Amino acid sequence: MSSETYRAIRCDRTTPTGDRCDTEWSHPVAVASFAELRRLLAERGWKRRTGRDICPTHATEEPTR
Ligand SMILES: [Zn+2]
């Protein structure tokens, strides 16, 4: 019996009205760590911004603050 961890990262961008982007991405195979997952995300246009994960859709926007 084994258990594998499938990590998912979700876009942390929130709008001024408090709505949250629901874009989520997880790798189809287990990755060793969130650092590894974020490296894979970065290849797909995700950004880290002030400790938050931002999906490609919002990565091109100006920071909300
Ligand atoms: Zn987003």
Side-chain angles (χ1 to χ4, degrees), residues 2 8 10 23-24 28 39-40 44 46 54 61-62 64:
S2 67
R10 190 171 170 190
T23 300
E24 188 178 71
R39 189 185 66 75
L40 295 165
R44 289 161 175 78
W46 284 64
I54 308 297
E61 291 183 341
E62 292 296 315
T64 53

Side-chain angles (χ1 to χ4, degrees), residues 8-36:
I9 282 181
R10 190 171 170 190
C11 180
D12 288 328
R13 188 246 193 206
T14 52
T15 67
T17 55
D19 291 327
R20 190 166 171 186
C21 175
D22 63 358
T23 300
E24 188 178 71
W25 191 87
S26 59
H27 201 254
V29 298
V31 292
S33 66
F34 275 108
E36 173 67 5

